[in-house]
Amino acid sequence: MKILVTGGAGYIGSTICSALEDKGHTPIILDSLISGRVEFTKNRIFYKGDIADEALLETIFKEHNDIVFTIHCAALMGISKSVEYPFEYYTENISKSIKLFKKLNELGCNKIIFSSCSTMYDDDVETFMVTEKSPLKPKTPYSRTKYMTEMVLEDFCKAYNMKGISLRYFNLIGADPKMRSGMYSSNESTILGKLVNVYKGRQENFKITGVNWATRDGSGIRDYIDIWDLANAHVLAVENFEKAFEKCGSDTPYLTINLGTGEGVTVKELVNSFEKVTGTILNKVETEPRLGDIGGAYANIDLAKKMLNWVPEVSVDESILNALKWDEVRVQTLKY
Ligand SMILES: NC(=O)c1ccc[n+]([C@@H]2O[C@H](COP(=O)([O-])OP(=O)(O)OC[C@H]3O[C@@H](n4cnc5c(N)ncnc54)[C@H](O)[C@@H]3O)[C@@H](O)[C@H]2O)c1
């Protein structure tokens, strides 16, 4: 199948492209390269441009009139930056998605899989576990852009004969096991990127931001999902798209599904795993939480298992090893 992947030059989009190719599908990338890497588009069908460029979308669909799905990953990332630049985040992530969805439907592509996020869930300090029905309370402009885009997609699906699945990602770690892509420099604000930097001596210490949360050791609790597991969930979402709607037992044209591991891991536990895998004790400091930080959450993934026939397979230790391997490839081969 041909699948349009917006943001296909990014960390997640490029890995989804690899997983699609491994299963015999053809990804078509649309990416402005505002943050993505051109190297990740090599040997792939690639259109450089904006998701809201209607003329470009027309060209893409003229040249590939057999595109069946769109996986919409393109977005500005980053919680702290979104607090500083809300106009840019609301414009890029919401306004442009609205235009994209409408145009895709006009072009006959009415099946959308949307990259959403878990940071829109309200804190549940009792269990820290969230299902798709748990209360939502997005606290930052970035999370609100995802929350609002989900609502737009749901309304469009109901009104315009479209079908959509929003996949709510938890905390991404790791790299493609075949080392075709991984986190790049702008993504080193992520926890594993920082741990790698401290391990490699590029950063003096690792900051454990917040140690007084109501978790088992006081550090934030997260659900660290490996990028390859996440990418494969998208392949299954494409392949089992209609079945997922049949299984849900209602006639809704729109679904939201959590993608995590179903296991809560605290920041301190992740650091311990990193130290065990590398055999190195890192310099660490404990600090106040960052702007917009929450105690955390981990996913109930029953729906993903049932609807998509998906189970995560990569362990945290394997993710750490792949991230370390990718760091070598990135520095030595890609030189950034
Ligand atoms: N990385 C995570 O931990 C995480 C967690 C939850 C959700 N997500 C979501 O997953 C998606 C992908 O994230 P990522 O980590 O790969 O980020 P990324 O920055 O690596 O990738 C985003 C890609 O979108 C492209 N892009 C941005 N705006 C565009 C536009 N207007 N037109 C065309 N291309 C545009 C960028 O150039 C980039 O290649 C995003 O929607 C993000 O919100 C990511």
Side-chain angles (χ1 to χ4, degrees), residues 56-104:
L56 178 58
L57 285 164
E58 277 169 20
T59 303
I60 295 173
F61 278 80
K62 207 166 167 192
E63 291 175 3
H64 304 278
N65 62 7
D66 45 352
I67 293 175
V68 186
F69 286 91
T70 295
I71 299 179
H72 178 33
C73 299
L76 292 186
M77 274 287 295
I79 284 187
S80 316
K81 264 197 177 167
S82 77
V83 176
E84 231 178 307
Y85 302 105
F87 173 80
E88 284 75 7
Y89 276 73
Y90 285 113
T91 304
E92 295 299 316
N93 293 4
I94 306 179
S95 307
K96 290 189 176 179
S97 294
I98 292 175
K99 283 195 173 164
L100 173 76
F101 295 153
K102 189 77 170 63
K103 191 67 191 173
L104 287 174

Side-chain angles (χ1 to χ4, degrees), residues 10-12 31-32 34-36 51 73 75 77 92 142 146 184:
Y11 169 47
I12 294 174
D31 196 302
S32 63
I34 191 169
S35 58
I51 53 165
C73 299
M77 274 287 295
E92 295 299 316
Y142 169 73
K146 292 286 160 184
Y184 51 95

Side-chain angles (χ1 to χ4, degrees), residues 6-14 30-37 49-52 72-77 92-93 96 114-118 142 146 167-172 184 186-187 190:
T6 74
Y11 169 47
I12 294 174
S14 63
L30 169 59
D31 196 302
S32 63
L33 298 183
I34 191 169
S35 58
R37 299 293 309 193
D50 199 279
I51 53 165
H72 178 33
C73 299
L76 292 186
M77 274 287 295
E92 295 299 316
N93 293 4
K96 290 189 176 179
F114 172 56
S115 295
S116 191
C117 72
S118 63
Y142 169 73
K146 292 286 160 184
L167 296 175
R168 290 186 183 150
Y169 309 164
F170 280 66
N171 308 89
L172 266 294
Y184 51 95
S186 68
N187 272 342
T190 61

Side-chain angles (χ1 to χ4, degrees), residues 199-332:
Y199 173 67
K200 297 270 171 142
R202 298 181 205 128
Q203 206 173 301
E204 199 184 329
N205 52 43
F206 178 78
K207 291 186 179 63
I208 302 177
T209 50
V211 287
N212 292 311
W213 303 108
T215 59
R216 51 187 171 257
D217 61 19
S219 65
I221 196 157
R222 306 283 183 259
D223 187 333
Y224 297 107
I225 175 170
D226 184 83
I227 182 76
W228 191 240
D229 277 333
L230 182 107
N232 279 313
H234 289 73
V235 177
L236 290 171
V238 163
E239 293 177 345
N240 297 327
F241 194 83
E242 292 302 340
K243 275 195 206 127
F245 284 94
E246 281 164 27
K247 282 183 191 170
C248 82
S250 79
D251 58 2
T252 179
Y254 174 77
L255 299 171
T256 51
I257 299 177
N258 285 341
L259 289 183
T261 62
E263 302 281 335
V265 174
T266 69
V267 173
K268 285 185 179 175
E269 287 165 351
L270 185 75
V271 175
N272 285 343
S273 297
F274 191 92
E275 291 180 336
K276 187 189 74 191
V277 168
T278 57
T280 306
I281 301 296
L282 302 180
N283 286 333
K284 303 173 278 286
V285 285
E286 298 185 352
T287 71
E288 290 297 309
R290 295 159 307 178
L291 190 65
D293 264 351
I294 56 167
Y298 67 95
N300 175 301
I301 56 167
D302 291 351
L303 217 53
K305 288 180 182 165
K306 182 178 154 194
M307 303 293 194
L308 309 181
N309 231 356
W310 170 82
V311 278
E313 288 171 356
V314 184
S315 69
V316 167
D317 288 4
E318 280 173 90
S319 289
I320 293 170
L321 280 170
N322 283 335
L324 286 163
K325 254 194 255 171
W326 168 253
D327 190 71
E328 297 284 322
V329 174
R330 184 175 64 82
V331 173
Q332 283 177 15

Side-chain angles (χ1 to χ4, degrees), residues 95-132:
S95 307
K96 290 189 176 179
S97 294
I98 292 175
K99 283 195 173 164
L100 173 76
F101 295 153
K102 189 77 170 63
K103 191 67 191 173
L104 287 174
N105 200 31
E106 274 171 36
L107 293 166
C109 181
N110 64 354
K111 296 176 186 178
I112 317 264
I113 294 166
F114 172 56
S115 295
S116 191
C117 72
S118 63
T119 55
M120 67 176 73
Y121 285 113
D122 196 7
D123 291 0
D124 179 342
V125 289
E126 295 289 307
T127 66
F128 292 102
M129 191 271 288
V130 291
T131 74
E132 291 78 357

